[in-house]
Amino acid sequence: MLYDKPKIYVISDAAFMIEVADRISDEASEAITSLTHLLDDADHEAIVDIVPSYRSIMVEYDLLKSDAAGMEDELARLCESHAQRIDRSVRLIEIPVCYSTPHAPDLDQVAVLSGLEPQEVIDLHSEPVYQVSAMGFTPGFPYLSGLDHAIAVPRRATPRAAVAAGSIGIAGEQTGIYPVTSPGGWQIIGRTPLTLFDPQRIDPFLLATGDTVRFIPIDDKTYYSMGGELHD
Amino acid sequence: MIEILNGGMLSTIQDKGRIGYQRFGVPVSGPMDWYAAALANRLVGNTDDAPLLEITIIGPTILLEDSCRFALTGAAFPARLDGQTIEMNTGIEATGGNRLTIGNATSGARGYLAFCGGLVVAPQLGSVSTYTKARLGGLDGTALKAGDRIALGCTDLSHCSGQLYPSTPALDYSSSPTVRIVVEDRTDHFDRSAIDKLTSSSYHLTHASDRMGYRLEGPQLAYSSDCDGNIISEGVTLGSIQVIDRRPVILMADHQTIGGYAKIATAIRADIPLLAQLRPGDKVRFTQVTTEEAQRAYLEMRQHLEECS
């Protein structure tokens, strides 16, 4: 449930946590997204960095430019102004996914665990509009909420030493995309030819917290024609 | 240019760090000991955040191809320039073609080697700081190794500034420091007894300690009755003390950006340098201070830096 007004906690001598709700929900995500935009737009000289996630925003500030009391007042004032605000539109990003072997090593296992056919898993996974609730783990890794409960399966008992960049995984109620090849324990059911993180690109990250995402099934041929790779 | 003849244990290029990308999951990085790094830079007339080398326990050997002015700060590293012992915490001039040999730290863990004009390296995501896990920054996202060459911002001694006499650092490093913490002003994850346990016990660093964070071993910290140790993932910050499996983990320079473990407290900015100098096996105690006390301590250290140059 959303709080009547955000709670502001001290978490260090140089950071506050702004918490908007007591649990994960679509309303909490929307509030986080619009509050993030508001803090970005405010461009406050003492705010060094902000880290939005499911139901809170961490704010790091510069002790040479503000102190705890001053910063808390400023954050409270900004949150207050947020109450009257109408938010901008949300981005929807379509991500093509090849759900077939060899890009989907755990698809059969997810189907067995869910009591479904593999094609049903694909249908359920590519149906919803997901929300990027947080990013973390590795640069550009989006935690997407909105997964159909029927295919919410636990992560693999043994993590893989290397999950290929672009792999789409499921872990519990969440789905996500590995931006770079890294160790990982999520159940891999497909792979996108898109590059989620490229530090050389003008826009290094394909996604940001607050974006919405839909997965578009593509076949093998399309995957390779879009620049998809077989291995890492 | 300088050429690395031997990289030592872990020598990396660092600057202020990647600010503004934590929301995309990119750690800040930057020097573990912000104070020693800033001091090294100031001693050679640089801004606090100019690109420099962070060295770890076993120092590197470096060929200084051109004339340059440099300074070494942080942990107690014996160092020689063409065989002559040199002092730490002062600017030193080299005329070019010199071999700088930095030995094994006799105490502490991390040293900083700054050059007048800074190291000239192309930034990635706004920073040259090396983050090896995602191969960001540095020369190729990895620690420095033999054969690596790095350009210097200034190779003309007549343009160098800073100071050529030793400075006294504002803090005493120790292998058993007491680190000041601020306790989160939210009480639902731990009872007061857990905070009392944390601040009345001695912990030691395990080998599972690196630039990302330190895993501590010592008396267990109980979660409150309505917390199982997990929380809804949220932002974590430098010095955050997570409690994983009832044991404290302190998040350091390369820490992840969000975390789902309950946090009990945060080490204050002023004492991060003390933590940066610890090695596995070293002991640490914690004492609680107010946010105001923590901020005052930080400002005093900044003031001391101002007086150094």
Side-chain angles (χ1 to χ4, degrees):
Chain A
M1 203 181 69
L2 278 184
Y3 302 137
D4 288 340
K5 63 177 191 182
K7 296 181 179 178
I8 301 173
Y9 298 104
V10 165
I11 62 160
S12 90
D13 57 337
F16 282 99
M17 190 71 75
I18 304 174
E19 195 174 279
V20 302
D22 61 350
R23 68 194 66 176
I24 297 172
S25 67
D26 289 348
E27 293 78 25
S29 286
E30 284 159 18
I32 291 298
T33 303
S34 61
L35 194 50
T36 300
H37 289 155
L38 179 121
L39 290 169
D40 283 343
D41 292 349
D43 198 22
H44 194 285
E45 63 154 10
I47 295 179
V48 176
D49 207 354
I50 69 172
V51 185
S53 54
Y54 296 94
R55 58 156 183 163
S56 64
I57 301 175
M58 188 186 69
V59 179
E60 293 179 333
Y61 63 102
D62 185 346
L63 298 183
L64 300 179
K65 298 192 175 133
S66 188
D67 58 16
M71 201 67 231
E72 185 164 7
D73 287 349
E74 284 292 290
L75 293 177
R77 188 182 60 77
L78 287 166
C79 289
E80 190 79 19
S81 70
H82 178 240
Q84 302 104 34
R85 188 183 154 93
I86 299 167
D87 196 39
R88 70 187 81 178
S89 59
V90 170
R91 292 201 301 175
L92 172 65
I93 291 150
E94 297 192 331
I95 295 188
V97 179
C98 180
Y99 287 99
S100 60
T101 49
H103 311 300
D106 299 324
L107 180 61
D108 289 345
Q109 174 71 3
V110 172
V112 168
L113 288 169
S114 324
L116 299 167
E117 292 299 318
Q119 186 56 48
E120 292 175 304
V121 173
I122 296 168
D123 292 345
L124 288 175
H125 189 261
S126 54
E127 169 67 25
V129 171
Y130 296 98
Q131 180 130 31
V132 182
S133 292
M135 297 184 81
F137 175 57
T138 56
F141 186 105
Y143 290 91
L144 303 173
S145 51
L147 184 69
D148 194 299
H149 296 299
I151 54 172
V153 298
R155 62 190 68 205
R156 289 166 53 86
T158 312
R160 288 188 170 88
V163 175
S167 293
I168 313 292
I170 289 176
E173 301 280 335
Q174 298 186 101
T175 183
I177 311 166
Y178 286 79
V180 292
T181 300
S182 67
W186 293 30
Q187 307 268 9
I188 304 305
I189 61 164
R191 194 173 176 192
T192 178
L194 300 187
T195 301
L196 271 78
F197 171 52
D198 177 357
Q200 312 303 344
R201 219 160 46 191
I202 291 170
D203 220 345
F205 301 94
L206 183 67
L207 300 173
T209 302
D211 286 343
T212 56
V213 167
R214 199 201 316 259
F215 294 116
I216 310 296
I218 56 171
D219 60 19
D220 240 43
K221 199 164 151 245
T222 312
Y223 174 83
Y224 292 115
S225 73
M226 292 180 74
E229 292 173 356
L230 179 55
H231 298 295
D232 298 348
Chain B
M1 300 288 283
I2 60 171
E3 182 182 345
I4 305 296
L5 302 177
N6 180 328
M9 181 187 280
L10 177 68
S11 301
T12 60
I13 298 171
Q14 300 292 339
D15 61 3
K16 182 178 193 165
R18 282 184 188 82
I19 311 294
Y21 294 97
Q22 291 188 86
R23 69 178 68 182
F24 297 107
V26 182
V28 175
S29 302
M32 289 282 277
D33 181 341
W34 63 265
Y35 177 82
L39 180 61
N41 270 322
R42 287 199 174 227
L43 289 170
V44 292
N46 293 344
T47 58
D48 289 352
D49 303 321
L52 81 178
L53 289 186
E54 177 179 280
I55 65 179
T56 314
I57 298 178
I58 301 171
T61 301
I62 302 171
L63 177 65
L64 310 178
E65 298 179 9
D66 306 302
S67 59
C68 60
R69 193 189 275 205
F70 64 91
L72 178 63
T73 64
F77 280 96
R80 282 171 291 142
L81 187 63
D82 290 335
Q84 295 285 323
T85 298
I86 56 168
E87 279 194 87
M88 293 186 64
N89 302 314
T90 178
I92 290 172
E93 291 188 335
T95 49
N98 317 86
R99 180 185 285 247
L100 174 61
T101 310
I102 304 178
N104 300 352
T106 53
S107 66
R110 293 181 171 85
Y112 294 87
L113 181 63
F115 292 86
C116 177
L119 303 173
V120 181
V121 183
Q124 274 185 312
L125 304 180
S127 167
V128 304
S129 285
T130 312
Y131 174 55
T132 56
K133 287 193 172 75
R135 292 188 76 111
L136 283 174
L139 294 185
D140 60 356
T142 63
L144 294 171
K145 55 198 177 301
D148 284 343
R149 294 176 78 234
I150 310 165
L152 299 181
C154 179
T155 54
D156 182 347
L157 290 176
S158 68
H159 289 164
C160 287
S161 57
Q163 69 178 51
L164 292 170
Y165 53 89
S167 182
T168 309
L171 69 175
D172 290 321
Y173 297 127
S174 163
S175 59
S176 55
T178 296
V179 167
R180 290 167 287 184
I181 56 171
V182 172
V183 173
E184 294 194 13
D185 66 353
R186 131 177 80 181
T187 53
D188 43 350
H189 302 141
F190 297 93
D191 298 326
R192 184 71 225 177
S193 61
I195 294 159
D196 291 342
K197 177 73 71 72
L198 179 68
T199 53
S200 63
S201 309
S202 175
Y203 289 87
H204 71 265
L205 252 74
T206 67
H207 283 275
S209 298
D210 58 15
R211 277 184 47 90
M212 187 177 176
Y214 294 168
R215 239 169 226 274
L216 305 183
E217 191 56 71
Q220 297 197 1
L221 302 169
Y223 305 107
S224 66
S225 53
D226 51 2
C227 177
D228 65 357
N230 296 298
I231 60 170
I232 296 171
S233 285
E234 63 182 25
V236 292
T237 192
L238 179 64
S240 284
I241 303 177
Q242 295 181 323
V243 179
I244 303 179
D245 198 18
R246 295 174 176 252
R247 288 170 181 84
V249 174
I250 309 180
L251 302 186
M252 299 297 288
D254 283 350
H255 70 79
Q256 67 277 26
T257 55
I258 61 172
Y261 298 105
K263 303 189 291 295
I264 189 166
T266 307
I268 72 171
R269 295 277 154 137
D271 288 351
I272 294 292
L274 298 179
L275 289 167
Q277 296 300 345
L278 297 182
R279 304 181 182 195
D282 284 349
K283 291 185 166 54
V284 57
R285 287 182 166 273
F286 298 99
T287 185
Q288 188 179 348
V289 295
T290 65
T291 311
E292 290 69 28
E293 288 167 326
Q295 297 188 338
R296 209 174 307 128
Y298 177 80
L299 294 177
E300 279 167 13
M301 286 175 74
R302 303 292 320 191
Q303 184 58 38
H304 188 275
L305 281 174
E306 293 296 333
E307 289 159 7
C308 278
S309 57

